[in-house]
Amino acid sequence: MIVVVAVMVALALVGVGGTALVGTLNSQGGKPVSTAGPSVSTQQSTNGSFATVKAVGPSVRMLAKVPVSNTIIYQGRLNQGETRILSQPDVDLTIYDPKSAEVILDGKVVKLDTAKDQVGMNIKDGRVTRTW
């Protein structure tokens, strides 16, 4: 009887763990995701439009943070084809090697100054509000 209960508990734990794992893997949550095609759309919510950054060169380094709290959303490297959705309505974004990146807002590519080694911008409510 104890063995049967132990087996049932183990199976229940495997089911709960598997469900949590599948939910985590299906959630983008700011993690890089590969995209199969050239078309990438932005996500929208009641808080505004979010930016999407895609590595179009071999790799691109970037830093994204919330300006008011200085909370880092993402700091790292995306490899070619990887995409990161910045799911905050107000983001300071720095792109290192802008030739290797594409920033998309509301389905439109944001023009980056590719003559510079790095570019920065504030993206608020679906618009680039300032650059540096």
Side-chain angles (χ1 to χ4, degrees):
M1 177 76 164
I2 294 175
V3 172
V4 171
V5 170
V7 169
M8 290 177 64
V9 168
L11 288 173
L13 289 174
V14 168
V16 169
T19 302
L21 178 62
V22 168
T24 300
L25 292 175
N26 286 336
S27 165
Q28 291 180 346
K31 303 258 186 255
V33 291
S34 295
T35 55
S39 175
V40 178
S41 63
T42 58
Q43 286 186 343
Q44 293 185 350
S45 78
T46 56
N47 293 336
S49 300
F50 300 137
T52 302
V53 180
K54 181 178 181 181
V56 294
S59 70
V60 63
R61 281 188 323 122
M62 63 180 261
L63 170 65
K65 63 182 182 172
V66 178
V68 175
S69 65
N70 279 331
T71 302
I72 295 175
I73 300 169
Y74 181 77
Q75 180 176 12
R77 183 177 305 277
L78 298 176
N79 294 317
Q80 188 170 27
E82 288 182 328
T83 301
R84 167 109 17 206
I85 297 170
L86 304 176
S87 56
Q88 296 288 328
D90 189 6
V91 175
D92 280 343
L93 174 64
T94 303
I95 301 282
Y96 305 93
D97 190 12
K99 293 175 191 162
S100 296
E102 188 173 76
V103 177
I104 302 163
L105 290 170
D106 289 329
K108 297 177 183 126
V109 176
V110 175
K111 184 170 173 55
L112 302 176
D113 186 351
T114 57
K116 295 183 177 182
D117 290 338
Q118 70 183 38
V119 295
M121 65 194 76
N122 174 262
I123 300 168
K124 186 171 183 177
D125 297 326
R127 291 189 311 265
V128 176
T129 57
R130 69 176 193 271
T131 59
W132 58 88

